[in-house]
Amino acid sequence: LVGRFYSESGVDFVVPDSKRIPRDIVVPADQTGGARHGQIVTIALIEQPGKRTPPVGRVVEVLGDHMAPGMEIDIAIRSNAVPEAWPEEVEEAIGVFGADVPEQAKRGRVDLRELPLVTIDGEDARDFDDAVFCDPTPNGWRLLVAIADVSHYVSPDSVLDREAYKRGNSVYFPERVIPMLPEVLSNGLCSLNPEVDRLCQACEMIISKDGRLLRSKFIDGVMRSLARLTYAEVATIVVDKDKSARQRRAPLVPHLEELYRLYKTLRKARSKRGAIDFETTETRIVFGAHRKIEQIVPLERNDAHKIIEECMIAANVAAARLLERHKMPALYRVHARPAGEKVADLQEFLSELGLGLRGGSQPTAKDYSAVLKLAHGRPDEHLINTVLLRSMPRAEYSPENIGHFGLAHDHYAHFTSPIRRYPDLLVHRAIRHVTGGGKPKDFATTITDIAEYGDHCSVTERRADDATRDAIDWLKCEYMLDKVGEVYRGI
């Protein structure tokens, strides 16, 4: 456990950080590990509590002083048991990787280096796992989504694979990342950095003028990203039509314009399907000197974010369709319908506000979207959004494809982020098996394995969410420390 060490009246004890643990833990004098009063420590239990006796523990690690910079992340990592240090055998295994893709690895792959593929990410992104390119066809568009080929470097049941599985995903804290794969891969060989050769698994899609995915194919390719663009820069070019930004990226402007046209069509198709769009406000913490929090600002989502989102959704749908068509044992990203009693409670709540939810006991995503539209602009919009969101189950990973309720898609899998999510790596392996002419019965991973992987990855995803939330809550409280006694309006 993680907690704060106290030494009072000759008694040493630790108050656990987790509110779920109501008992203080007594520390014998010879087990304090040199901890001083008020410091944050990791403690191992020696004795469980009895009816009248407290739990007893020994200090395993002194993390540091209570409000030291970065302490909130150290606590969150340990409280949620997020694996952080690389085992020795992993350090040894990555010794074989250089900085460049070896020539023999490029052989037998489709050469995509002449295509103006670009990555579009946030300002502070360090690992680039997706690049996009789009050009018009007589009846719509050809969209290419190229994804880092992690499965080339991480083979099943290798040391790297076992560690990636254990972690399940990368964990993103404010200004710090606990990656799923060592940096030589996540920021190096697998990251689609500009103007260097990289191996990729690309999804080529033909999309109609009304935004339907007509057909797709998957390619083992070698690519070269033409530019590392940011969301802000792309929005300046295609939305604001800023002259100087357009001149600076002149060769890319026609392709970006085409991407934007495709996005608008995909967006219309999304509304027509009735996919649910919750307008939630996420925040970003801005640090100054000595990691002092200067401000907490809302994250602005512009059209460039949404361009990439729609392209990734299209590739994820294509991946799921391929796997289903070939009856491959694979992990789908599923989002179940809301349960009957949750729907009944929601309908009762909405009727008290003069709103109705259509669809009886089995409303569709379209019915949810209709309520969101009606709520837009109302003073209680935030409340209605929250209650709608809470009525739905979490999305999770499963070998059984039950569709994705929120996105209103019958087929959905995670394909686009194998650097930071283990399920995507499994999907890449399954796709490579299919494109190589393999049959489901010859695939090394069985449906029982896949079910186990799905449960594990759903758990590690929740673990990452909990750890991130713990750290951010701590930082928000720290930010408010000098504002105690002031009065604010809030929700």
Side-chain angles (χ1 to χ4, degrees):
L1 305 170
V2 180
R4 197 167 174 193
F5 182 84
Y6 290 92
S7 190
E8 290 175 359
S9 313
V11 178
D12 297 331
F13 60 96
V14 169
V15 178
D17 177 64
S18 171
K19 300 289 167 283
R20 290 191 286 269
I21 298 162
R23 310 281 294 268
D24 294 347
I25 296 148
V26 172
V27 183
D30 60 345
Q31 301 284 356
T32 62
R36 296 195 309 276
H37 177 80
Q39 286 188 313
I40 304 290
V41 300
T42 308
I43 190 161
L45 287 186
I46 302 170
E47 285 175 36
Q48 291 287 348
K51 247 183 186 170
R52 292 181 186 81
T53 56
V56 180
R58 65 182 171 86
V59 173
V60 182
E61 181 186 17
V62 177
L63 294 181
D65 295 326
H66 178 227
M67 296 299 279
M71 181 56 70
E72 71 291 336
I73 293 175
D74 289 333
I75 292 175
I77 287 169
R78 286 157 181 81
S79 295
N80 293 282
V82 174
E84 183 190 13
W86 297 108
E88 217 168 286
E89 58 267 31
V90 170
E91 299 281 9
E92 281 169 27
I94 59 177
V96 301
F97 299 122
D100 303 315
V101 178
E103 281 308 310
Q104 76 266 22
K106 300 173 192 174
R107 288 191 198 120
R109 286 175 172 260
V110 178
D111 194 339
L112 304 170
R113 285 175 288 196
E114 293 308 308
L115 283 180
L117 282 151
V118 294
T119 60
I120 306 174
D121 292 273
E123 311 278 345
D124 45 6
R126 296 219 307 276
D127 49 8
F128 310 112
D129 40 23
D130 53 86
V132 290
F133 164 72
C134 169
D135 59 358
T137 64
N139 300 313
W141 293 271
R142 172 176 75 127
L143 170 65
L144 202 78
V145 173
I147 305 296
D149 190 356
V150 176
S151 61
H152 175 83
Y153 301 101
V154 182
S155 46
D157 208 33
S158 62
V159 167
L160 275 174
D161 184 49
R162 289 196 294 271
E163 184 64 23
Y165 172 69
K166 183 174 138 192
R167 293 176 178 230
N169 42 260
S170 298
V171 186
Y172 292 86
F173 294 107
E175 296 198 331
R176 185 166 159 199
V177 181
I178 310 297
M180 180 179 88
L181 295 167
E183 291 207 356
V184 65
L185 291 176
S186 60
N187 293 357
L189 271 180
C190 291
S191 186
L192 306 180
N193 301 330
E195 297 176 354
V196 287
D197 287 0
R198 288 289 182 255
L199 305 182
C200 66
Q201 212 178 75
C203 176
E204 183 180 78
M205 291 162 276
I206 302 299
I207 296 170
S208 69
K209 278 185 175 154
D210 58 356
R212 281 175 305 123
L213 175 58
L214 298 177
R215 59 182 190 276
S216 62
K217 70 171 178 181
F218 287 82
I219 303 160
D220 280 346
V222 54
M223 63 159 286
R224 200 179 176 91
S225 165
L226 199 62
R228 179 265 198 266
L229 303 175
T230 65
Y231 294 125
E233 187 179 7
V234 172
T236 309
I237 291 167
V238 296
V239 183
D240 307 335
K241 309 274 188 202
D242 180 272
K243 269 189 184 155
S244 65
R246 288 168 79 88
Q247 275 166 355
R248 196 167 58 248
R249 298 290 192 184
L252 293 175
V253 170
H255 304 298
L256 294 175
E257 292 280 13
E258 214 53 64
L259 259 180
Y260 194 39
R261 274 193 281 277
L262 167 63
Y263 153 71
K264 286 176 179 166
T265 300
L266 290 173
R267 195 80 196 167
K268 271 193 200 126
R270 181 191 180 109
S271 296
K272 202 171 167 188
R273 282 197 323 272
I276 304 169
D277 275 323
F278 284 105
E279 282 302 325
T280 53
T281 307
E282 289 182 32
T283 54
R284 185 167 67 87
I285 293 169
V286 181
F287 294 100
H290 310 300
R291 216 164 182 276
K292 174 112 180 68
I293 305 163
E294 285 189 349
Q295 50 180 339
I296 299 174
V297 295
L299 264 181
E300 300 294 336
R301 256 171 63 82
N302 59 36
D303 275 3
H305 287 87
K306 295 173 188 174
I307 289 173
I308 290 301
E309 189 182 317
E310 287 301 327
C311 291
M312 297 308 122
I313 288 172
N316 286 338
V317 168
R321 279 190 190 177
L322 177 84
L323 296 171
E324 176 125 311
R325 198 163 61 243
H326 289 270
K327 299 187 168 48
M328 280 296 292
L331 264 192
Y332 295 93
R333 178 68 171 176
V334 300
H335 186 214
R337 287 173 167 278
E341 65 273 15
K342 291 269 183 147
V343 171
D345 291 346
L346 177 63
Q347 282 164 332
E348 191 182 330
F349 166 79
L350 290 172
S351 66
E352 286 169 11
L353 300 178
L355 294 169
L357 174 68
R358 294 192 304 263
S361 63
Q362 290 201 319
T364 62
K366 222 174 199 166
D367 299 325
Y368 265 66
S369 295
V371 176
L372 284 173
K373 274 202 188 91
L374 291 171
H376 188 65
R378 284 175 57 134
D380 54 1
E381 180 182 3
H382 181 272
L383 171 66
I384 294 164
N385 272 4
T386 305
V387 177
L388 281 169
L389 194 55
R390 296 250 169 111
S391 72
M392 297 193 297
R394 282 181 75 117
E396 55 189 13
Y397 295 106
S398 167
E400 189 190 346
N401 178 25
I402 57 168
H404 197 294
F405 178 78
L407 289 171
H409 272 306
D410 294 334
H411 307 87
Y412 201 69
H414 271 169
F415 162 74
T416 53
S417 294
I419 291 177
R420 59 187 180 88
R421 288 190 305 227
Y422 193 77
D424 303 52
L425 178 55
L426 293 174
V427 165
H428 276 235
R429 285 174 184 160
I431 288 172
R432 174 156 296 136
H433 186 75
V434 170
T435 54
K439 296 280 182 285
K441 64 178 185 339
D442 309 324
F443 192 44
T445 315
T446 66
I447 199 76
T448 317
D449 297 334
I450 292 285
E452 199 178 297
Y453 291 163
D455 290 343
H456 173 75
C457 292
S458 297
V459 168
T460 61
E461 181 184 38
R462 278 197 290 278
R463 176 177 73 189
D465 288 347
D466 291 346
T468 310
R469 192 166 41 243
D470 285 355
I472 288 172
D473 284 352
W474 172 295
L475 287 167
K476 286 177 177 174
C477 291
E478 188 183 316
Y479 178 69
M480 297 305 285
L481 268 180
D482 60 355
K483 296 167 184 62
V484 172
E486 293 181 33
V487 179
Y488 298 90
R489 282 174 68 93
I491 296 171

